Amino acid sequence: MTSLKFAALAARIERFPIMGSFTISRGAKTEAVTVVAEVSRDGLTGRGECVPYPRYGETPEATLAAIQAMQQALAGGLTRQALQAAMPPGAARNALDCALIDIEAKSAGLRAWNLLNRPTPGERITAYTISLAAPEAMAAATAKAAHRPLLKIKLGGAGDPERIAAVRKAAPESELIVDANEAWTEANLEANLAACAAAGVTLVEQPLPAGKDEALARIRRPLAVCADESVHDRSSLAPLRERYDAVNIKLDKTGGLTEALAMADAAQALGFEIMIGCMVATSLSMAPAMLITPQARFVDLDGPLLLARDRDHGLRYDGSLVYPPDSSLWG
């Protein structure tokens, strides 16, 4: 690996407006707030972007400070491998990890997937998210997106059977995946799963709160269930084998692409299907995640499609097809 000794570090908070609003069971937002890290050496700059997530106690300001606190270590030659132990998993490490991979690839004159000895990613169909709302509003939003082959439907508890039925009626041909964002309870779990199965949903994501999902091991699941908030990195995989059929890998949870790739390998070895997911962010966040797509059954990298504007040199989206990044963006 090329030495990064005497690397300079810059970081900043950036804001990108969302088209309309993005609503899940925990609330709504109208902008994506990201933190960008830039590592520079010998005239080259590597970039990484992360999204601090309040669900895990992260704020943009604290994430920015955590990245900036690594300046001395980076100047002293901190490697990407050493970074994994120097910082905990989370958004801040993700931005730095991806920035270090970017500059390593540029220094070596290689694409990131070649540098990391991973399969070359190709174009993939990404899910497109329908925000949580009343059944009628969700049906109207779904009708506008019914040409897309894969839709991700945000649910939120009471009234979800009516929501998913309305969505299915509005998009009879689309494959549907559902994300409850921890909003269901043991009392309504089986009824909601049955409603999703009746609507032909392929996958339900995180129906119960993390740490309170034991019921998933006690029931007969009529369709595949995917862990999101219950799974973070490799260390969280093994206890979930009886509860979940799939895991949602997000770089902001794993703390970067380095751990995400290792986690994907470990998850496959344990028999989990893989979803590669994202927060609402720009193409700079999606680009490293494209390296997971060769292993993923589900790709959910629609963040830039939900923004009023993406950053320059963003990923190419052709309808629901997303393409690997150009080197002018990342990697």
Side-chain angles (χ1 to χ4, degrees), residues 145-166:
H147 62 285
R148 295 182 180 274
L150 179 62
L151 297 177
K152 179 171 179 173
I153 312 303
K154 292 289 187 177
L155 296 183
D160 280 348
E162 292 76 18
R163 290 186 180 98
I164 197 61

Side-chain angles (χ1 to χ4, degrees), residues 261-319:
L261 289 167
M263 180 180 173
D265 293 342
Q268 283 191 318
L270 290 171
F272 290 109
E273 286 193 312
I274 292 172
M275 173 189 287
I276 177 62
C278 68
M279 306 299 188
V280 182
T282 79
S283 285
L284 185 55
S285 282
M286 309 301 128
M290 285 297 296
L291 274 72
I292 306 292
T293 60
Q295 294 171 273
R297 164 64 176 88
F298 299 98
V299 174
D300 179 23
L301 298 178
D302 66 342
L305 296 178
L306 306 176
L307 300 178
R309 62 176 178 87
D310 194 6
R311 66 176 66 251
D312 293 341
H313 310 292
L315 292 179
R316 175 188 168 196
Y317 288 88
D318 182 5

Side-chain angles (χ1 to χ4, degrees), residues 126-131 138-153 167 170-176 306 319-320:
T126 178
Y128 181 81
T129 302
I130 304 297
S131 285
M138 293 185 71
T142 300
K144 295 177 182 178
H147 62 285
R148 295 182 180 274
L150 179 62
L151 297 177
K152 179 171 179 173
I153 312 303
V167 163
E173 302 300 325
S174 300
E175 183 177 14
L176 301 182
L306 306 176
S320 288

Side-chain angles (χ1 to χ4, degrees), residues 178-192:
V178 156
D179 187 1
N181 284 114
E182 304 180 281
W184 294 357
T185 67
E186 286 193 39
N188 63 27
L189 173 63
E190 292 186 87
N192 284 340

